[in-house]
Amino acid sequence: MGISNYQMSSVISLLPEVGLLVLAGVVLTMDVLLKDDRKHLIAVTTAVGSLLIILAALMYSQPSGDLIWGGMVRDDMLAFVFRLAFIFAGGITAMFSIGSKELAHRGDYYAIMLGAVIGMCFMASAADLIMLYLAIETTGIAGYLLAGYVRTDDRSAEAGLKYFLFGAATSAVMLYGFSLLYGLTGETNLGAIAPILASGTVSVSAICAIVVLILVGVGFKIAIVPFHFWAPDVYEGAPSPVTGFISTASKTAGFAVLLRVFIYGLAASEYWLPAMAGLAAVTMTFGNLVALAQTNIKRLLAYSSVAHAGYVLVAFVAYSELGVASAIFYLIAYVVTNLAAFGVVIVFAHTAGTDDIQQYAGMSRRSPYLALAMLVAFLSLAGMPPLAGFFAKFYVFAAAVKADMIWLAFVGVLNAIVGLYYYLVVLKVVYVSPAPDGVGSIDIPATCKIALVVLSLGIILIGTASSPWFNWAMKAAQDLF
Amino acid sequence: MTASQIFFLLFASATLVAAYLVVTVRNLIHAALWLVASLLGIASIFVLLDASFMATVEIVLYIGAIAILIVFAVMLTRRVMEDVGPQRTNTWWFGAILAILFFASASTLIWLTQWPTLPEGDVGNTVLILGKSLVDPSKYVVPFEIASVLLIVALIGSIAVALPSKQSE
């Protein structure tokens, strides 16, 4: 006990989180010191700082695979990959925030977002119920605040309140599940819980109840049917950079928890796999069918992100190394792609002031490059080769077929076709419909331009050279089995 | 039934009744006072569990600070003390059915399950153990620090949300 267990390597493995905390402090100080006309530097600092943290983590914080800090955190490849993805998403979101008039110059906004990123990093690495719950709450509370940040806008306030009420209720249910788990096993560490559950001393009905209760909390985070009710309203009402952040990073963090808790902790999969397969099919189908009817681009992306959560669940229920690796690969591709899609939405609303899909008419003539970025992002979301989304779906369905879940892969492919339709409808409006009279070109802020270029290149790079990325995901998946 | 079980049922039902009244009474001050009653019930359950420090914290922090703060905040900010809107939505019966089902299945589960119990006996100086665990790198120091990050984020956020923005001045 005590200081003897303290090791330098444990400190270094938390380097990204410490870096984020320092960055948040720097951002807050800049908010006080800078004059109003130089406040855009805060966003630049957040983005550059995130990039430096990623580079430092790659150089110094390679995962050891051990349980560290008294078993609170598992320093493995799975956590490492997800943490880098969250920090990347945070940096990109900071760059896009320049495109939002209400958020761009508020240092406190960037600090809270960095707080959310810290929470997400710990969601990915937590190996103990106490650590996990605190990480989920840190992410959650920062998320509620960000969604309701624009107080002058009633819809933002509504989004914040709705997100908070749903989040508080589901998190209470999940906490009850955690307490039952602790009461039955006497352990809070997921690694210690797994063998106790496998030994058969805990009754089947109790395990089922725990699974359902925890799934309520995680299902809220990843917005799967039937815990998706908040998603469309929150996505529509929250400021667009925040929506992009919640729909990518927060959802991915939820999936990191799902993988960690269900595969590493509740390894007795026979209790929950069939139910999860059903949820995956319902989530994909519901998300895609409802997305067909949307006229607001943020609501469309909200329902499409529900559908994407369904695809990841397909990979999850394949319950194999290949399945988990394809889920991780899908999530990385989804973060990059969906951030690009929301980036386009932010930039468009910056000039046009609307999220109505009909207003996108003739965007290709108003700004060919923005339309090109949208084309890349939406085709990748639809799963067209050679973009990231295609290989992501390909690996997911391959994993399902290999696990003898051919029906699920079939439902997934049918859904991908429905998805293709509504993504193409939007692209048709952008490229074919004539622009309304009297609208000029679209002004793209410099940081948004850089972010869109990075993301578009990322989508193409992950798609055309997918094997190194997939090998990374495979290495991460091996940590769970 | 042992004495401590009787006391537990007594305190637990008092907590539940008070919690129910928090959300149903229309006067905000009354709701805050019922909140105090419900927190007091939880504190007494901590006492039954031999967690005297947690019970003290519950009373000093939750009742002494937070609930009183709520009372003051209500009195200082709201001119309307009485909530006049409808208290139920149209689909309240659906929520009620779900809640009853949840309660029924949870209590059946608790009833049927064989719960592992700790051996009776002196648990030692709980305050000392708690204090040491919170700063021990091989125990709970990381969760402890994350809790501080969470609180700072909440603090900054609540100030940012509550203060009037520069544009609206």
Side-chain angles (χ1 to χ4, degrees), chain A residues 1-2 5 14 21 28 36 39 69-70 72-73 106 108 112 115 118 122 130-131 134 137-138 141-142 145 148-149 151-152 176 180 183-184 188 203 205-206 209 213, chain B residues 102 106 109-110 112-116 132 135-144 146-147 149-150 152-158 160-168:
Chain A
M1 177 188 152
N5 290 347
L14 289 190
L21 204 55
L28 277 178
D36 274 349
K39 286 263 172 91
W69 294 103
M72 292 296 137
V73 172
R106 299 182 64 175
D108 41 356
I112 294 176
I118 295 175
F122 279 110
I130 293 171
M131 190 68 223
L134 277 167
E137 281 306 287
T138 309
I141 286 179
L145 287 167
Y149 223 76
R151 281 182 312 123
T152 43
Y176 190 55
L180 287 183
L184 285 164
T188 56
S203 71
S205 54
L213 293 174
Chain B
F102 181 78
L109 178 80
I110 290 169
L112 292 179
T113 306
Q114 188 71 43
W115 294 89
K132 278 194 171 164
V135 290
D136 187 344
S138 63
K139 285 213 173 106
Y140 297 104
V141 77
V142 180
F144 187 59
I146 290 308
V149 173
L150 168 60
I152 290 182
V153 166
L155 190 69
I156 298 170
S158 49
V161 169
L163 276 185
S165 62
K166 281 178 192 158
Q167 289 96 336
S168 66

Side-chain angles (χ1 to χ4, degrees), chain A residues 170-191:
Chain A
T170 52
S171 134
V173 173
M174 181 181 61
L175 194 59
Y176 190 55
F178 283 177
S179 74
L180 287 183
L181 195 54
Y182 172 66
L184 285 164
T185 59
E187 293 284 348
T188 56
N189 199 286
L190 290 171

Side-chain angles (χ1 to χ4, degrees), chain B residues 92-159:
Chain B
W92 67 272
W93 51 271
F94 183 68
I97 291 173
L98 268 186
I100 291 169
L101 271 181
F102 181 78
F103 182 74
S105 37
S107 38
T108 327
L109 178 80
I110 290 169
W111 199 258
L112 292 179
T113 306
Q114 188 71 43
W115 294 89
T117 47
L118 284 175
E120 293 261 339
D122 191 15
V123 286
N125 188 343
T126 49
V127 186
L128 187 71
I129 299 171
L130 182 72
K132 278 194 171 164
S133 312
L134 286 182
V135 290
D136 187 344
S138 63
K139 285 213 173 106
Y140 297 104
V141 77
V142 180
F144 187 59
E145 294 302 326
I146 290 308
S148 353
V149 173
L150 168 60
L151 288 178
I152 290 182
V153 166
L155 190 69
I156 298 170
S158 49
I159 293 173

